[in-house]
Amino acid sequence: MKPSAFMFEPIGIIHSSLKELEDVPMQGDEGAPEAWLELTPMAAPGLMGIEAGDELLLLTWLHLAQRDVLQVHPRGDINRPLTGVFATRSPDRPNPVGLHHVSVLEVTGGNLRVAPLEAIDGTPIVDIKPVLSSSEQ
Amino acid sequence: MKPSAFMFEPIGIIHSSLKELEDVPMQGDEGAPEAWLELTPMAAPGLMGIEAGDELLLLTWLHLAQRDVLQVHPRGDINRPLTGVFATRSPDRPNPVGLHHVSVLEVTGGNLRVAPLEAIDGTPIVDIKPVLSSSEQ
């Protein structure tokens, strides 16, 4: 196996009232606020068909994460045993892709207002997908 | 907004009996087979704590996708209206990250046997996360 490197450009960026990492809840259902997703002019046509009320999976690039971390104490609790990052939702991991289940509140051109979103202002957006009704969410 | 480019190296690769794109079901619950995930020696310590029976979300890089596609007919059905790729699960999209809900069948060192997996042999692995019990899956 010889994995090669891949490159991507964000399809947009998050605008949020969360400005500091210490303000960001660990999960969206732990008090995260709403946020605006601003898509690039190039990516915006990919939003066609998305409406207020839709449920989406938002994939982000957690650009402030530590990428050399492979094992953590879950939720930063040193009383919990050291665990591989792939068995946790720690943002620190080799490829720090964030996965967020959000509801669409408003669509305005290339911008979506969504909630809840536990990602800091300025976080790049990698992809957006619809939530499927099955367990494949 | 000036998005910059990001780079990642796969944490591993998929070994599957699915060798041709036309054999790949559109979703895992549509008859996809089991597969082996081979992690790189560097990433393998991140598996610590994952056991047979666990439910995981596997993020892949759908390396054969067309990245210049922004609108599609869902499931390739031209009777369905043209739709933005972010409102569909089309593999064709600017950043073709695949999202797969799999069950762990076996863990052997840096390798996981999982099912079902609708990804072709040789697909790079971006990340692995546990399924949370809430709707955030």
Side-chain angles (χ1 to χ4, degrees), chain A residues 43-99:
Chain A
L47 294 178
M48 188 170 72
I50 294 179
E51 299 175 341
D54 286 354
E55 300 287 309
L56 298 177
L57 294 172
L58 176 66
L59 278 66
T60 60
W61 187 255
L62 303 171
H63 57 305
L64 302 182
Q66 295 182 51
R67 300 184 64 178
D68 58 351
V69 172
L70 284 166
Q71 298 181 345
V72 295
H73 296 283
R75 299 181 69 91
D77 179 352
I78 61 167
N79 293 313
R80 297 176 68 170
L82 209 56
T83 304
V85 290
F86 305 131
T88 80
R89 288 294 185 104
S90 168
D92 297 327
R93 52 184 59 238
N95 295 318
V97 177
L99 180 63

Side-chain angles (χ1 to χ4, degrees), chain A residues 31-50:
Chain A
E34 62 177 55
W36 278 96
L37 312 183
E38 179 191 356
L39 267 72
T40 64
M42 187 174 293
L47 294 178
M48 188 170 72
I50 294 179

